[in-house]
Amino acid sequence: MASKSDVVYRTEQSGFCVFGSNSLSKFVYTLKNQIEGAKRGDDTEYVHQLRVASRRIRSTMSIFRPCFPKKNYMHWESEVRNVTRSLGVARDTDVQIFFVENYLKNVRSQATRSGIEYLLAKHRERRMVMQPRVISTLEQLLISQALDQMIAQCNTVLSQCASAETGSLRSVGVLREAQRHILKRLRNFIDMKDCVHREDAFLLHHEMRIAAKHLRYTMEIFCTLYEDNLKQYVSVMKQFQDVLGEMHDCDVWIEFIPSFIETMKKEEITSEKKDIDVVSMEKALHVFLDHVKKRRHLLYSNFVSIWDANMKQKTFDHLSEQISIIMLSVADSNQKIAIIADHHANLHALTAVITDAKKHGATMFLNAGDFVGFGAFPSEVVSLLHTEEVLSVIGNYDQDVLTLIKKEKKKTKNKDEKFLSLAYASKHLSKTDASFLRSLPQELRLKIDDKRLLVTHESPKSIDEHLRLNTPIDRMSEIAKTSSADVIIVGHSHQPFVRTIDGVTFVNPGSVGRPDDGNPSASYALMTINPFSVELLRVSYDVDAAVDAIRKHHLPERFAQMLLHGVSLEAIEELEHKRLQESVKSKTSRLKHVERFAEKFARDLTHPYHVKKLALHLFDALKDLCSLNDDDRFMLECAAILHDIGWSQGWKGHHKTSLRFILNDTALPFTIREKYIVGSIARYHRKTFPQQAHYHFAALNFDDQRRVEILSAIMRLADALDASHHSVVKTVAVHIEHDEITIRCGPEGNTELEEHAIDKKKALFEAVFKRRLVVLWNRK
């Protein structure tokens, strides 16, 4: 049995982990090869190379952290960090010694040399004291077996992933992560531009050196994925790293020398050596300090020149452009790319689309955003798209959710349905989910063979613009001319189309999780590169399951109706308004519609119609007692006709099935409120009583909940009076007293089943009407 710390390498993760394991093992071997030389201490280059290797190991581990067991990772990171710190102090001291030695070569005056030689001697003493610590740290590293464990784990990853099918397209997972990490490091470096032309920004220059180092290391890890191994850009960052590093060395001297002089004066004054000229030594050190300051100024001028030259040449723009374009190639002409968008937390639809696309030969997925909003499974959708080989951009709903998360728990008066969907998503997304969404770009550029692709959520020109099939040609042409792309992929409008304008193909795959064209089926597109073609596809999925989840998570019913109708929230609002207007018209036509609906589920409606007759007799006798009206009578009548339609799917749980059929039918002439009332009455004709734990009951206001309780009690009693389904009870007469309700039944035939059913079902009636129920049988 696998332990909890074991890592399972999914197919979609395997290419990324193979790449990371190869990179990490290379740096581990480099580090191991420097250990003995660093322990001897006779060549400072070993310490330098070992320190660099430890830094590269930590950078690589950070990027490929998901590929390694958490417990092992923490242990390895701790051990390597100790090495970096210990060797860092030693290496810095070696650099300082080398700097003083070079300076001393040009010093002729013996009086001046004595002060510098004193400085050099003190640094050499410090370095000798450090060497045992260096040896101890390296021996501890070997004892910990961290390096051997890393190599073993890398080999495990390589063996587990060796047979994994990563697809014929170039590893998208690696390219995606390379793009994300390099661009992140580039942004961190560029964001420090304000300190470039400030000579006194010492700390910021040091931070910029670290940013340059991180960018360089990250590029070197992924350089093999790009043309010419990014040599030009690695070289540029090494320039920045070197000049900023030397500036930092000068800053260290500038801060160190004054305190060193004070320490020297105290030590030499109290020493027994009377022939030492402390004044001359102090003067020599001040001359050295002036030299360092002048060097720092020259280095700074060189740094500014390098920066200005690269800005003029747009080096960073070119790097960003090269990294932003993911270069892929198609191995054969049969390979297909699935284009998806607008999932809106609908896991059932997304799963169906991914399965269908793979059956059609899709080896890669492009996602135009909007992971969340409206549906019941925001975290599951984000996780699925994260772990699959999906290249994604962020959508407007994703950004809105991240904004809401950032605001944390600040109270807001905004309680509209869009806000409720965002609040639900923000509550159910994990930190990992949110972090992944934040990492997504607003646009994605790819080059697959000879095709240049641009993927955005909205129009490339505006975040507020929807591109549709009826968008004017002039507008599409304007976008095409400035896009620098052969194919533009967008989402946002939820309406699928393929249009070619001025040689540029626009593709909107429609919505996976919330279609907006009147077709509830999930929508996506399949693209073939060679020869180029795009096919729009629809996939049926378990809409009822997705709708059930929305209701059980107490999301607004209109979200469920959007999926059932395949239209927007605005369209549902219009439909609801129309149904509300129709509800005040003649109930006769509406009732005929209900009867036709019931006929689809059962040929023989004798029982429902007899229950309806009995229920209406009971209602008419009891309505004054409960202040009920004609609308309530109509809903009871409809519920009686529909209460057993769930039988078409089997007897077990048929009352719940009847509820689902009523709520999910898009043609029944009910408003949402009426559906919930009629459906609840049908659901409660048997088994449990109405309760707040039931989503359909909890969704009603207090008055409607009371209405459902009364009508369900009548419905149960009517159903019990025809328990045999033989219509044996022909007449009912109701007599109401202060503490008792008597019902006199006129039967024709055996009433054994009816009598038994009344004993089982009368409890709700007695609870609602707060009277004892007595049923008398007036037999002929």
Side-chain angles (χ1 to χ4, degrees):
M1 180 180 292
S3 68
K4 291 183 180 179
S5 62
D6 288 342
V7 176
V8 178
Y9 303 99
R10 298 176 295 271
T11 298
E12 66 275 1
Q13 190 188 34
S14 61
F16 176 67
C17 291
V18 166
F19 193 95
S21 296
N22 281 325
S23 300
L24 181 60
S25 58
K26 178 181 68 176
F27 295 137
V28 172
Y29 280 120
T30 299
L31 188 149
K32 288 187 73 173
N33 292 335
Q34 308 299 322
I35 288 178
E36 290 305 317
K39 287 169 66 178
R40 288 197 304 271
D42 54 2
D43 187 344
T44 59
E45 189 62 20
Y46 285 109
V47 172
H48 172 59
Q49 293 298 331
L50 201 154
R51 181 193 185 193
V52 170
S54 71
R55 284 175 167 172
R56 293 184 189 277
I57 287 173
R58 292 173 65 193
S59 294
T60 306
M61 286 174 61
S62 175
I63 292 172
F64 297 94
R65 183 170 185 169
C67 299
F68 306 109
K70 181 178 180 180
K71 184 177 180 180
N72 292 9
Y73 176 90
M74 300 301 291
H75 168 58
W76 301 339
E77 207 280 334
S78 176
E79 292 295 334
V80 177
R81 184 175 64 248
N82 289 338
V83 171
T84 305
R85 289 175 176 174
S86 178
L87 270 65
V89 178
R91 173 59 184 170
D92 290 344
T93 306
D94 287 337
V95 170
Q96 290 171 335
I97 290 171
F98 182 73
F99 184 86
V100 176
E101 288 175 340
N102 280 341
Y103 176 78
L104 200 55
K105 291 177 183 178
N106 298 315
V107 177
R108 302 298 179 212
S109 168
Q110 184 56 44
T112 303
R113 288 182 66 88
S114 61
I116 305 304
E117 287 172 347
Y118 181 86
L119 177 65
L120 181 59
K122 288 295 184 182
H123 273 71
R124 285 173 174 167
E125 287 177 12
R126 285 180 58 208
R127 181 62 180 85
M128 288 180 63
V129 172
M130 292 175 191
Q131 187 61 18
R133 172 68 185 278
V134 170
I135 295 171
S136 173
T137 301
L138 295 176
E139 288 178 346
Q140 175 58 39
L141 176 65
L142 295 174
I143 292 171
S144 73
Q145 298 185 329
L147 300 180
D148 293 334
Q149 290 172 8
M150 285 188 220
I151 292 173
Q153 185 63 46
C154 289
N155 291 335
T156 298
V157 173
L158 295 173
S159 63
Q160 287 188 18
C161 299
S163 60
E165 297 180 6
T166 56
S168 302
L169 286 173
R170 200 171 173 193
S171 179
V172 173
V174 179
L175 289 164
R176 177 182 60 194
E177 292 301 312
Q179 180 190 68
R180 184 165 72 88
H181 286 284
I182 294 175
L183 291 179
K184 177 183 176 182
R185 293 301 188 187
L186 178 59
R187 284 194 299 271
N188 291 344
F189 180 73
I190 299 299
D191 284 347
M192 304 201 68
K193 61 182 180 295
D194 291 342
C195 76
V196 172
H197 294 93
R198 290 174 50 197
E199 188 171 359
D200 61 346
F202 309 112
L203 293 177
L204 293 176
H205 293 156
H206 177 53
E207 291 178 14
M208 196 171 189
R209 177 181 75 90
I210 295 173
K213 176 188 66 179
H214 286 156
L215 174 55
R216 175 189 167 193
Y217 286 173
T218 305
M219 286 194 294
E220 288 176 337
I221 289 171
F222 293 109
C223 64
T224 56
L225 301 173
Y226 300 95
E227 294 179 0
D228 198 32
N229 289 345
L230 299 176
K231 287 180 181 178
Q232 172 192 351
Y233 305 109
V234 170
S235 176
V236 168
M237 296 320 299
K238 186 177 186 305
Q239 276 186 291
F240 279 112
Q241 189 180 344
D242 289 345
V243 69
L244 287 165
E246 290 189 62
M247 285 167 57
H248 177 65
D249 292 340
C250 291
D251 293 336
V252 171
W253 280 121
I254 291 169
E255 183 178 1
F256 173 77
I257 291 300
S259 61
F260 179 79
I261 290 173
E262 293 303 315
T263 302
M264 177 195 71
K265 289 162 64 176
K266 291 178 181 178
E267 289 180 352
E268 297 307 324
I269 288 173
T270 57
S271 70
E272 296 180 357
K273 297 179 180 179
K274 304 302 183 182
D275 58 336
I276 295 177
D277 187 351
V278 176
V279 175
S280 297
M281 292 172 65
E282 181 180 353
K283 183 178 179 181
L285 289 171
H286 279 294
V287 172
F288 174 76
L289 180 58
D290 290 339
H291 166 76
V292 171
K293 290 180 179 179
K294 290 177 182 177
R295 177 169 175 76
R296 210 278 182 188
H297 177 71
L298 290 173
L299 288 167
Y300 170 73
S301 299
N302 186 28
F303 162 59
V304 173
S305 297
I306 296 172
W307 174 269
D308 289 344
N310 280 285
M311 292 301 290
K312 184 177 181 180
Q313 296 166 9
K314 297 186 176 180
T315 301
F316 307 123
D317 292 339
H318 295 322
L319 172 59
S320 179
E321 182 178 342
Q322 182 170 344
I323 300 302
S324 296
I325 300 175
I326 295 180
M327 309 287 288
L328 299 169
S329 61
V330 178
D332 63 73
S333 59
N334 293 322
Q335 285 183 267
K336 292 180 172 60
I337 299 170
I339 302 173
I340 56 179
D342 296 290
H343 319 284
H344 290 290
N346 189 337
L347 182 64
H348 294 86
L350 178 59
T351 303
V353 164
I354 290 175
T355 301
D356 189 73
K358 288 181 177 179
K359 285 181 180 178
H360 279 83
T363 55
M364 175 184 172
F365 288 80
L366 298 178
N367 170 33
D370 266 5
F371 294 67
V372 301
F374 301 110
F377 301 103
S379 180
E380 292 82 353
V381 165
V382 172
S383 179
L384 180 56
L385 289 169
H386 187 184
T387 55
E388 286 283 345
E389 283 284 329
V390 178
L391 283 169
S392 303
V393 296
I394 194 167
N396 61 301
Y397 265 82
D398 309 322
Q399 292 175 319
D400 289 344
V401 167
L402 292 177
T403 299
L404 190 61
I405 292 174
K406 190 174 181 180
K407 290 180 179 178
E408 297 179 340
K409 298 181 180 179
K410 290 184 179 179
K411 293 183 179 180
T412 176
K413 294 180 180 179
N414 188 347
K415 296 297 181 182
D416 65 19
E417 288 175 325
K418 179 181 176 181
F419 174 80
L420 292 175
S421 75
L422 298 175
Y424 175 84
S426 68
K427 181 180 178 181
H428 287 82
L429 287 176
S430 68
K431 290 183 179 180
T432 302
D433 298 331
S435 177
F436 170 69
L437 289 178
R438 287 192 192 96
S439 74
L440 296 177
Q442 290 189 324
E443 73 170 36
L444 189 65
R445 290 187 178 271
L446 303 93
K447 187 174 182 183
I448 305 178
D449 287 353
D450 63 340
K451 291 290 183 185
R452 298 169 300 164
L453 278 66
L454 170 61
V455 184
T456 66
H457 180 65
E458 307 92 348
S459 162
K461 288 290 187 179
S462 171
I463 61 173
D464 298 320
E465 183 178 18
H466 294 69
L467 296 185
R468 297 185 172 92
L469 188 59
N470 61 355
T471 298
I473 292 179
D474 291 347
R475 180 56 178 164
M476 301 288 274
S477 179
E478 180 185 351
I479 295 171
K481 288 176 182 177
T482 58
S483 67
S484 300
D486 302 306
V487 182
I488 298 176
I489 296 169
V490 298
H492 201 38
S493 71
H494 294 214
Q495 296 177 2
F497 68 82
V498 179
R499 296 176 68 183
T500 300
I501 310 291
D502 295 340
V504 176
T505 300
F506 290 81
V507 180
N508 188 322
S511 174
V512 169
R514 212 213 74 198
D516 194 16
D517 57 358
N519 183 346
S521 298
S523 177
Y524 78 103
L526 270 180
M527 180 170 64
T528 304
I529 295 296
N530 186 19
F532 181 74
S533 66
V534 180
E535 179 184 9
L536 296 173
L537 298 173
R538 301 303 285 252
V539 182
S540 296
Y541 72 96
D542 194 344
V543 178
D544 286 347
V547 165
D548 284 347
I550 286 174
R551 292 170 178 148
K552 288 176 182 177
H553 286 86
H554 304 288
L555 288 164
E557 174 62 21
R558 291 187 185 184
F559 296 178
Q561 293 299 319
M562 283 195 295
L563 300 191
L564 293 167
H565 288 266
V567 297
S568 67
L569 187 61
E570 290 75 18
I572 293 297
E573 290 173 353
E574 292 175 6
L575 178 62
E576 184 70 0
H577 180 69
K578 180 181 178 182
R579 290 271 168 83
L580 191 60
Q581 289 179 321
E582 292 174 349
S583 68
V584 300
K585 296 180 180 179
S586 171
K587 294 181 173 59
T588 303
S589 61
R590 298 174 71 199
L591 194 60
K592 287 181 179 179
H593 198 129
V594 170
E595 291 171 347
R596 287 196 298 270
F597 179 71
E599 288 169 359
K600 294 193 300 183
F601 298 93
R603 294 181 180 178
D604 184 6
L605 295 177
T606 302
H607 171 66
Y609 281 119
H610 193 64
V611 169
K612 180 190 78 169
K613 174 185 173 183
L614 296 173
L616 294 181
H617 276 302
L618 294 172
F619 177 91
D620 292 339
L622 297 166
K623 66 177 182 179
D624 292 338
L625 184 64
C626 304
S627 302
L628 299 176
N629 56 37
D630 288 345
D631 289 337
D632 301 320
R633 190 179 194 276
F634 173 73
M635 285 188 278
L636 175 62
E637 185 174 10
C638 293
I641 296 171
L642 300 174
H643 79 280
D644 264 356
I645 58 176
W647 265 98
S648 60
Q649 303 299 309
W651 173 81
K652 187 175 182 179
H654 72 273
H655 55 307
K656 296 179 182 178
T657 307
S658 296
L659 166 66
R660 189 185 312 116
F661 284 164
I662 293 168
L663 292 182
N664 290 2
D665 185 74
T666 58
L668 278 172
F670 299 137
T671 64
I672 290 175
R673 169 183 172 268
E674 289 173 334
K675 278 189 174 186
Y676 268 72
I677 293 174
V678 172
S680 294
I681 298 168
R683 187 250 195 266
Y684 292 128
H685 82 270
R686 65 190 293 265
K687 293 290 184 178
T688 187
F689 289 5
Q691 53 187 274
Q692 294 294 336
H694 301 153
Y695 69 87
H696 53 93
F697 186 73
L700 297 169
N701 63 36
F702 177 80
D703 289 338
D704 284 341
Q705 286 183 351
R706 180 60 180 164
R707 183 172 282 106
V708 165
E709 290 173 340
I710 296 169
L711 297 177
S712 296
I714 295 173
M715 179 72 193
R716 277 183 182 236
L717 186 56
D719 186 60
L721 290 172
D722 194 36
S724 65
H725 290 212
H726 290 155
S727 304
V728 296
V729 176
K730 303 301 182 182
T731 62
V732 292
V734 179
H735 179 68
I736 303 171
E737 296 182 7
H738 177 69
D739 59 352
E740 183 176 279
I741 295 176
T742 302
I743 298 178
R744 296 181 180 274
C745 301
E748 291 183 5
N750 189 334
T751 60
E752 183 178 353
L753 290 176
E754 281 73 16
E755 292 177 41
H756 177 69
I758 289 171
D759 285 340
K760 285 182 61 177
K761 291 190 172 186
K762 69 179 182 179
L764 178 59
F765 187 93
E766 292 180 331
V768 167
F769 289 95
K770 296 181 173 54
R771 289 166 172 82
R772 188 167 67 92
L773 175 65
V774 176
V775 178
L776 302 177
W777 303 93
N778 295 336
R779 305 181 191 278
K780 291 183 180 180

